[in-house]
Amino acid sequence: MEMLSYEGFEYLLMEELDKRYPDMKKTTKGIVKINEKKQGIIIECTNGICATIYPENLYEVYERVYEEMNFMDIILESVDTALKYEFVKEYKSMLYKWDDIKQYVKPFVFNLEKNRKYIEQNQIIFRERLNLAYGCFVDFPEDEEGGSAQVNISRNLLELWEISEEELFETAESNAIFCIKSMRQVIEELIQNQSGMEVNLGEKTFLYVLSTENRYRGAAGIFKTELLENHAEEIDGNFYILPSSMHEAILVKEEDAPSVEILRDMVQDVNETQVKVEEYLVDSVYYYDRATKEVTIVG
């Protein structure tokens, strides 16, 4: 079976959506997201709940399964999940009540300069830190089938909850749990999770990974002062911070690191070749000084 072009796939997808959900209104719209603008299809359910799907993402699935006879059914399974009424309704009802939702509020960081339009259009609450936007999001818990959702917090939500920005950020930071692990430990855990095999790569390491346990939006940990203080004490020195994505940062002890220029080239190369557009953070190199207890931009 010959693979469809993206345009052909998008046309077929709209046809199949009309067949599968004939009573739901569908609107194609350009949507500004973090780091990018994407073409989305907004599907309005009969109960007033809307879900947005992105043909570009579904085309990536299609590229993997187009030889299957039922490839469109495989693709539309993800749409069914997005439109799962009870799942969406439960999250939406939780979102209206601060007391119900505050336990799931966490901080995250994203590129400030690239996302000024996103911030403005979506009225995102943020604080400027270094060259980053430091915001908050709701990280909903998984449902019984493993479904989850995240919502970046806007001015409208803050007004709905009738809380201040100070309370929002205090709550997010009290909920945030970041960790620093050696690169060796991270690789060992990755191998064990994927293969079930326990491995030991030895003790020597000079690279560390700062993130959350599930490695989602963990780069905000670069502003967790106590965590950085403890790491500096543990390695007995200052260190560079290399943001590898919105999800994590790499820490390198100063005395083990090459020049700042080489570090910056490394960050840029990883961003250009390994990091998804929506996960990109920044090309900068940061530095933690244990004497001043501050993070600064050095490259």
Side-chain angles (χ1 to χ4, degrees), residues 68-84:
E68 303 286 338
M69 290 294 293
N70 62 334
F71 71 83
M72 189 53 73
D73 287 334
I74 296 172
I75 290 165
L76 291 179
E77 283 180 4
S78 60
V79 181
D80 290 339
T81 300
L83 295 173
K84 193 169 58 175

Side-chain angles (χ1 to χ4, degrees), residues 83-95:
L83 295 173
K84 193 169 58 175
Y85 296 159
E86 296 308 317
F87 174 75
V88 177
K89 281 197 297 185
E90 180 183 356
Y91 281 8
K92 191 172 182 180
S93 63
M94 288 172 61
L95 194 59

